[in-house]
């Protein structure tokens, strides 16, 4: 037996023969199986299992459950906990604000004070397309943070601190205010600096659509993180998905020029299509195009005809598109479009009447991403061994 003068830990190690030079002639698993102590403990556990339902069931405590608190209490506490983590990580939260400001300043002074000539329509379109860079950055910022917190969640879930649903919904919600602040900073810097139409309706639509785009991008990154088992796999998949998002959205390659196979299905399933159509039609809708000299297509009317008379004969402004300009020397110039609406309807095959439909579709994609996060957090809630 172990005396009072001996160290219990060393005594146990010596008794079982642990260590490099330790040895023991006793088969300890067999000794435990045949011992009266095992018989006594087994009987005690069986008695507890038999009597527990009657002892621990009461109106006050309710039936036995996996977690000690309700799912809604867990959700509130996990949400508060994640808020505290985000607040204590200024490199992540306030760093995203600085990132938005820097991106906005670069774009604002790259596309500074856009005019209303026909070539400026492309500049306005690519301003919005380049603004999606912020969405891509949001994906790459949210993804590592989600994967880090998911590993902590697996540890806490194994310890029965809280369930999978409170973590999944809380990590989505905690990102929303920071995403909206980042997007609003970006919006206020570029919108008026670039000379975008500032009517109340268009301004509000641009803001709310841009916020929904960022929320979608953030949830998209989290959904990828929920699906992937590690950061390496996630960062391998994301660039491939981004290519499909932005290559087939109708900006880099217009709808009619996209190969039929992709045009028939991926164009319509692509969230970026609805983002681009909503934002670009909002930006171009009320623009009256006044072509600068460099953008006019020059031609000379025959003797005895004015530019407008010759146009009436030649019908250059087919389908009432564009307009004719007469120079002081009598030469003529053709402006291909007379309004921003003509530009996006004929070049991009888009309709400004779809703006709120596009917002609704994008909201649906955002909700789908949230369900993806919840579903795959549930499927991967246990840590791999």
């Amino acid at each position: 037996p172990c005396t009072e003068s001996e160290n219990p830990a060393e005594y146990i190690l010596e008794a079982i023969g642990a260590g490099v030079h330790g040895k023991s002639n006793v088969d300890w698993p067999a000794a435990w199986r045949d011992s009266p102590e095992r018989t006594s403990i087994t009987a005690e556990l069986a008695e507890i299992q038999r009597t527990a339902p009657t002892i621990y069931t009461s109106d006050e405590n309710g039936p036995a459950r996996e977690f000690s608190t309700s799912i809604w209490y867990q959700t509130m506490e996990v949400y508060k906990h994640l808020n505290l983590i985000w607040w204590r990580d200024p490199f992540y939260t306030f760093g995203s604000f600085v990132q938005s400001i820097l991106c906005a300043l670069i774009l604002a002074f790259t596309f500074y004070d856009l005019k209303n000539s026909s070539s400026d329509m492309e500049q306005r379109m690519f301003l919005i397309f380049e603004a999606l860079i912020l969405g891509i950055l949001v994906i790459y910022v949210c993804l590592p943070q989600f994967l880090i917190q998911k590993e902590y969640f697996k540890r806490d879930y194994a310890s029965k601190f809280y369930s999978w649903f409170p973590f999944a919904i809380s990590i989505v919600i905690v990102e929303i205010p920071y995403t909206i602040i980042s997007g609003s900073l970006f919006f206020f810097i570029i919108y008026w600096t670039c000379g975008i139409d500032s009517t109340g309706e268009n301004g509000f639509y641009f803001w709310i659509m841009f916020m929904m785009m960022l929320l979608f991008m953030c949830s998209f990154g989290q959904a990828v993180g929920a699906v992937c088992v590690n950061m390496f796999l996630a960062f391998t998949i994301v660039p491939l998905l981004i290519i499909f998002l932005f290559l087939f959205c109708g900006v880099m390659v217009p709808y009619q020029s996209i190969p039929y196979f992709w045009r028939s299905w991926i164009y319509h399933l692509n969230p970026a299509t609805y983002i681009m159509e909503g934002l670009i039609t909002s930006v171009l809708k009320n623009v009256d195009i006044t072509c600068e000299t460099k953008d006019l297509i020059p031609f000379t009317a025959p003797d005895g005809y004015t530019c407008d008379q010759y146009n009436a004969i030649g019908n250059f402004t087919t389908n009432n598109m564009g307009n004719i300009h007469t120079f002081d020397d009598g030469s003529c110039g053709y402006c291909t479009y007379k309004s921003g609406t003509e530009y996006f309807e004929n070049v991009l095959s888009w309709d400004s009447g779809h703006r709120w439909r596009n917002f609704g579709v994008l909201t649906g994609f955002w909700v789908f991403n949230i369900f993806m996060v919840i579903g795959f957090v549930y499927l991967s809630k246990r840590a791999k061994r």
Side-chain angles (χ1 to χ4, degrees):
C2 180
T3 62
E4 293 184 1
S5 62
E6 293 183 275
N7 185 323
E10 292 179 353
Y11 176 84
I12 293 172
L13 292 174
E14 291 176 1
I16 64 175
V20 178
H21 303 290
K23 59 182 179 179
S24 175
N25 296 324
V26 179
D27 184 355
W28 291 105
W32 166 251
R33 285 194 300 270
D34 299 334
S35 66
E37 288 85 356
R38 178 180 181 276
T39 303
S40 173
I41 290 176
T42 302
E44 183 180 356
L45 290 174
E47 180 66 14
I48 291 174
Q49 187 174 10
R50 184 182 66 80
T51 59
T54 59
I55 296 175
Y56 295 103
T57 299
S58 67
D59 294 337
E60 180 181 353
N61 296 322
R65 55 196 179 197
E66 184 177 9
F67 298 94
S68 60
T69 56
S70 69
I71 197 74
W72 299 114
Y73 180 83
Q74 293 174 45
T75 302
M76 290 300 300
E77 292 303 313
V78 173
Y79 174 68
K80 286 191 244 180
H81 174 64
L82 289 177
N83 259 315
L84 193 60
I85 293 174
W86 261 240
W87 180 255
R88 288 177 174 176
D89 189 1
F91 293 104
Y92 177 73
T93 53
F94 292 96
S96 66
F97 300 160
V98 174
Q99 173 183 271
S100 297
I101 292 170
L102 291 177
C103 288
L105 288 173
I106 292 171
L107 283 179
F109 290 101
T110 300
F111 297 93
Y112 178 74
D113 194 19
L114 294 173
K115 306 301 181 185
N116 293 343
S117 187
S118 58
S119 60
D120 288 309
M121 298 304 102
E122 290 186 357
Q123 297 296 314
R124 290 171 181 266
M125 178 180 68
F126 281 107
L127 164 65
I128 305 305
F129 189 72
E130 294 295 331
L132 293 184
I133 290 175
L134 182 62
I136 297 173
L137 293 176
V138 166
I139 293 175
Y140 279 101
V141 167
C142 292
L143 181 54
Q145 181 78 333
F146 179 88
L147 290 169
I148 292 169
Q149 296 304 322
K150 188 171 76 167
E151 293 305 311
Y152 292 147
F153 153 73
K154 291 178 180 179
R155 177 199 64 190
D156 294 342
Y157 180 82
S159 301
K160 299 303 178 185
F161 288 165
Y162 51 84
S163 185
W164 55 270
F165 178 80
F167 169 77
I169 196 67
S170 296
I171 201 167
V172 171
I173 296 174
V174 75
E175 289 282 6
I176 292 177
Y178 294 99
T179 303
I180 291 176
I181 293 173
S182 296
S184 297
L185 291 170
F186 186 91
F187 167 79
F188 284 117
I189 292 173
I190 72 160
Y191 196 76
W192 288 276
T193 309
C194 295
I196 300 176
D197 172 48
S198 57
T199 58
E201 179 188 359
N202 284 346
F204 173 75
Y205 179 85
F206 187 98
W207 177 81
I208 195 171
M209 188 67 169
F210 196 76
M211 296 308 104
M212 183 52 64
M213 184 271 288
L214 293 181
L215 291 174
F216 164 77
M217 292 297 184
C218 182
S219 64
F220 180 80
Q222 292 180 328
V224 172
V227 171
C228 296
V229 296
N230 55 50
M231 199 171 298
F232 175 79
L233 180 60
F235 277 99
T236 302
I237 291 176
V238 166
L240 300 176
L241 298 176
I242 289 175
I243 289 173
F244 277 91
L245 278 176
F246 300 122
L247 184 60
F248 299 109
C249 68
V251 174
M252 296 183 68
V253 183
Y255 173 75
Q256 298 298 338
S257 300
I258 299 174
Y260 177 77
F261 174 77
W262 301 112
R263 187 175 71 228
S264 61
W265 66 282
I266 199 170
Y267 176 85
H268 301 286
L269 291 177
N270 189 351
T273 299
Y274 304 98
I275 296 170
M276 288 288 93
E277 183 177 13
L279 291 176
I280 290 176
T281 56
S282 176
V283 167
L284 300 182
K285 180 182 178 182
N286 295 331
V287 176
D288 295 321
I289 296 177
T290 304
C291 278
E292 298 179 0
T293 304
K294 64 180 180 179
D295 295 325
L296 292 170
I297 300 174
F299 67 94
T300 303
D303 292 339
Y305 288 92
T306 64
C307 297
D308 292 329
Q309 290 172 339
Y310 186 51
N311 172 59
I313 298 172
N315 196 24
F316 299 119
T317 54
T318 307
N319 297 326
N320 200 31
M321 279 180 51
N323 52 52
I324 302 298
H325 180 80
T326 304
F327 294 101
D328 294 336
D329 61 359
S331 61
C332 310
Y334 173 55
C335 183
T336 50
Y337 306 102
K338 64 175 177 285
S339 68
T341 301
E342 279 189 0
Y343 179 83
F344 63 69
E345 286 181 347
N346 291 278
V347 176
L348 304 172
S349 303
W350 287 343
D351 186 350
S352 61
H354 295 162
R355 293 194 305 168
W356 288 107
R357 180 210 68 175
N358 295 333
F359 177 79
V361 171
L362 185 60
T363 303
F365 277 113
W366 177 54
V367 173
F368 173 77
N369 286 343
I370 294 174
F371 278 107
M372 285 280 288
V373 171
I374 294 173
F376 278 93
V377 165
Y378 169 76
L379 293 174
S380 61
K381 59 184 179 292
R382 287 186 173 85
K384 301 292 182 183
R385 299 198 176 206

